[in-house]
Amino acid sequence: MWLLPPLLLLLVPDPSAFITGPGEVRGPEQGSLTVQCPYDPGWEPYVKYWCRGADWIKCQILVRTPGSELEVKKGRVSIRDNHTSHTFTVTMEKLRREDAGTYWCGIERTGADPGVRVKVTVGSVLATTDIPTSSPTVSSLHPEGRSLLSSVHFLLLVFLKLPLFLSMVGAVLWVNRPQRGSAGGGPPQSENR
């Protein structure tokens, strides 16, 4: 019975596994940028949001969906959820240099919200004249698109879950090892004779 809690730790899913993002996007000063955050099927009715802050736990929510596909706009930021493509899209307009920083795509739920970090960079108008006008979104399969939480989950798997699992297997094998008999080579003798 003491093995149950450690085994449950091995089954805890990574919160970022439900949602992915570009990792990093860039937009020109006074221009706009679009961030697409794909999520797994089954999360359609949940509230999606875009928040800002280096720390995921303390980030300030800038805009959120009502759980439907309606577009919501607050100031220079808008968000729209597409339930068919399982992607919500955030658009930031009239970018300023101070808009640069760490943002998060998140899904609101009971318990810990799944989310993925997105670094936003704002370049000067002169520096961006030779940047293509295509969408600044990066494919979530790109190595830079891996979220911080995914790498943390990998580290937990390698340095905590795997050694814990191997220790438990070793303990079970040690407890269930065959018992050695007395020096005579026969079956073990009982001391209560």
Side-chain angles (χ1 to χ4, degrees):
M1 190 51 119
W2 57 274
L3 289 176
L4 189 57
L7 287 175
L8 288 177
L9 178 64
L10 296 172
L11 301 175
V12 173
D14 174 16
S16 67
F18 307 121
I19 183 172
T20 57
E24 187 170 345
V25 292
R26 180 180 179 86
E29 193 173 5
Q30 294 303 314
S32 64
L33 64 78
T34 300
V35 179
Q36 293 187 338
C37 301
Y39 55 87
D40 289 346
W43 292 94
E44 298 84 0
Y46 288 80
V47 171
K48 317 307 184 301
Y49 60 89
W50 178 248
C51 68
R52 182 177 188 177
D55 187 4
W56 167 240
I57 303 299
K58 299 176 185 174
C59 72
Q60 177 188 2
I61 296 177
L62 302 175
V63 65
R64 65 171 37 139
T65 68
S68 69
E69 292 187 318
L70 293 175
E71 181 176 22
V72 175
K73 184 169 180 156
K74 290 207 175 168
R76 299 177 294 116
V77 183
S78 64
I79 188 169
R80 177 183 293 255
D81 190 4
N82 183 325
H83 292 175
T84 306
S85 67
H86 304 105
T87 301
F88 65 95
T89 304
V90 176
T91 303
M92 297 175 68
E93 300 174 333
K94 299 177 187 171
L95 291 169
R96 304 175 189 151
R97 286 189 183 268
E98 57 266 21
D99 290 331
T102 303
Y103 292 79
W104 300 83
C105 293
I107 301 176
E108 198 172 281
R109 71 167 184 181
T110 304
D113 293 352
V116 64
R117 188 178 112 187
V118 179
K119 180 182 176 189
V120 171
T121 307
V122 178
S124 67
V125 176
L126 295 175
T128 59
T129 54
D130 57 343
I131 292 179
T133 56
S134 63
S135 171
T137 337
V138 179
S139 167
S140 62
L141 298 177
H142 190 277
E144 295 298 318
R146 294 196 57 86
S147 74
L148 173 65
L149 291 176
S150 291
S151 62
V152 169
H153 182 260
F154 175 76
L155 292 173
L156 276 174
L157 177 68
V158 171
F159 293 110
L160 180 66
K161 292 181 178 183
L162 187 60
L164 183 63
F165 176 72
L166 293 174
S167 297
M168 289 187 304
V169 168
V172 168
L173 291 175
W174 185 78
V175 167
N176 293 328
R177 75 187 187 289
Q179 298 293 320
R180 293 190 179 189
S182 62
Q189 298 291 327
S190 173
E191 294 183 22
N192 295 336
R193 281 189 162 187

